[in-house]
């Protein structure tokens, strides 16, 4: 089982590193252009594999921690404490992996269905944001109980992400073009989650001697990604005329139903 877990983690790291590089190509190329679609497709495939492999590897540790990590480092006081530490670490990784998976999948789905949101109001689609909500709730409780700063920051973000996806799916009407900004927001959200996971796990050794720099590296992706997302959303936000046209169509539809 250790060999299987190690193989999954190796592929996870490889595709994750590739995703981190691919993220910037569609971000800075013309939206809808050939390069944007081509490299965006590569990014989505790489990130889907990265997030799903992260879910699998972290779930294995959560259920059988001492099988995956049979050797306990000397600085741990007891096996129980070591087990709790592993489960805490990999619960956070599970949450981040689910967050990235949700963002990538939703960003593709909204472009595919556009206004026809009924296609997303299914158990097959909604189980993932619901699972993210459950895992993030457990993580938030753990973060507050044990004073884990990083978890206290990102668990609420994951909760809001899950709630936001469900709210979008069940809204009555979608303004023309709104799915573009929804796509942008969740694609960038997947990048924030991926870079956060990198600094929280893979890049931790870079700032091992400085806890302050570790915390900065953890929140830096969000500090960069959120303003970038806001800027792109403002740039591609549907114009007021689209809102008026959407409202007019809704009003006509209501009139016809009343008649």
């Amino acid at each position: 089982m250790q060999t299987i877990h190690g193989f999954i983690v190796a592929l996870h790291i490889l595709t994750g590193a590739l995703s981190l590089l691919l993220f910037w190509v569609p971000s800075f190329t013309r939206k809808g252009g050939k390069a944007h679609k081509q490299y965006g497709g590569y990014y989505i495939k790489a990130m889907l594999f990265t997030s799903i492999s992260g879910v699998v590897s972290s779930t294995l540790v959560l259920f059988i921690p001492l099988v995956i990590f049979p050797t306990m480092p000397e600085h741990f006081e007891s096996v129980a404490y070591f087990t709790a530490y592993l489960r805490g670490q990999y619960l956070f990784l599970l949450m981040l992996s689910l967050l990235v998976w949700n963002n990538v999948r939703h960003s593709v789905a909204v472009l595919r269905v556009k206004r026809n949101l009924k296609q997303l109001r299914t158990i097959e689609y909604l189980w993932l944001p619901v699972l993210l909500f459950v895992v993030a709730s457990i993580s938030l409780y753990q973060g507050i109980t044990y004073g884990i700063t990083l978890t206290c920051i990102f668990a609420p973000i994951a909760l809001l992400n899950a709630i936001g996806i469900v709210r979008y799916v069940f809204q009555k009407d979608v303004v023309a073009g709104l799915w573009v900004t929804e796509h942008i927001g969740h694609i960038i959200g997947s990048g924030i989650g991926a870079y956060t996971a990198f600094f929280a796990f893979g890049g931790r050794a870079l700032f091992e001697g400085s806890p302050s720099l570790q915390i900065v590296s953890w929140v830096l992706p969000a500090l960069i990604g959120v303003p970038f997302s806001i800027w792109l959303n403002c740039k591609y936000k549907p114009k007021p005329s689209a809102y008026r046209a959407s409202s007019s169509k809704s009003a006509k539809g209501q009139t016809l139903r009343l008649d």
Side-chain angles (χ1 to χ4, degrees):
M1 190 58 71
Q2 285 179 274
T3 303
I4 295 174
H5 181 265
F7 180 71
I8 294 172
V9 170
L11 291 177
H12 171 79
I13 293 172
L14 180 63
T15 56
L18 179 62
S19 300
L20 295 180
L21 295 175
L22 287 171
F23 171 78
W24 297 104
V25 180
S27 296
F28 287 106
T29 52
R30 184 175 62 85
K31 303 301 175 282
K34 183 178 179 180
H36 179 82
K37 290 181 178 179
Q38 182 179 6
Y39 286 95
Y42 294 155
Y43 170 77
I44 287 168
K45 290 175 183 177
M47 192 56 79
L48 281 174
F49 185 90
T50 301
S51 57
I52 294 172
S53 61
V55 169
V56 173
S57 62
S58 56
T59 301
L60 286 173
V61 177
L62 288 172
F63 280 98
I64 48 173
L66 297 180
V67 173
I68 304 300
F69 296 99
T71 304
M72 183 180 75
E74 294 180 358
H75 64 274
F76 283 96
E77 300 173 358
S78 64
V79 174
Y81 181 74
F82 178 55
T83 302
Y85 170 81
L86 287 174
R87 284 182 170 146
Q89 290 286 306
Y90 282 87
L91 180 65
F92 179 75
L93 179 58
L94 175 62
M95 181 183 70
L96 281 184
S97 298
L98 288 171
L99 177 62
V100 172
W101 188 1
N102 265 281
N103 278 322
V104 173
R105 190 181 70 149
H106 187 65
S107 68
V108 175
V110 295
L111 292 183
R112 174 172 54 83
V113 303
K114 293 184 170 61
R115 281 183 169 173
N116 191 14
L117 295 179
K118 289 183 179 180
Q119 295 182 36
L120 304 182
R121 296 169 189 166
T122 62
I123 295 175
E124 290 80 7
Y125 189 77
L126 293 173
W127 72 267
L128 191 54
V130 171
L131 179 59
L132 174 61
F133 183 87
V134 172
V135 172
S137 298
I138 298 172
S139 296
L140 181 59
Y141 172 79
Q142 186 183 65
I144 294 173
T145 302
Y146 298 103
I148 307 172
T149 303
L150 189 60
T151 304
C152 289
I153 293 173
F154 282 93
I157 293 174
L159 285 170
L160 291 174
N161 181 271
I163 294 170
I165 288 175
V166 174
R167 286 187 62 185
Y168 182 88
V169 168
F170 281 98
Q171 64 182 310
K172 292 182 180 180
D173 189 31
V174 181
V175 176
L178 186 62
W179 47 83
V180 176
T181 56
E182 186 76 1
H183 166 79
I184 291 171
H186 285 276
I187 277 290
I188 294 177
S190 70
I192 293 173
Y195 272 97
T196 301
F198 168 75
F199 284 115
F201 289 87
R204 179 180 298 175
L206 293 174
F207 308 108
E208 188 175 2
S210 177
S212 298
L213 286 177
Q214 282 187 355
I215 294 176
V216 170
S217 71
W218 293 339
V219 299
L220 188 61
L223 292 177
I224 296 174
V226 171
F228 184 50
S229 176
I230 293 172
W231 176 73
L232 283 176
N233 273 286
C234 290
K235 183 177 180 180
Y236 291 97
K237 184 178 180 180
K239 296 180 181 179
S241 58
Y243 285 93
R244 290 194 294 269
S246 179
S247 300
S248 177
K249 289 180 181 179
S250 298
K252 288 180 180 178
Q254 291 175 0
T255 304
L256 289 172
R257 285 193 295 271
L258 288 171
D259 292 339

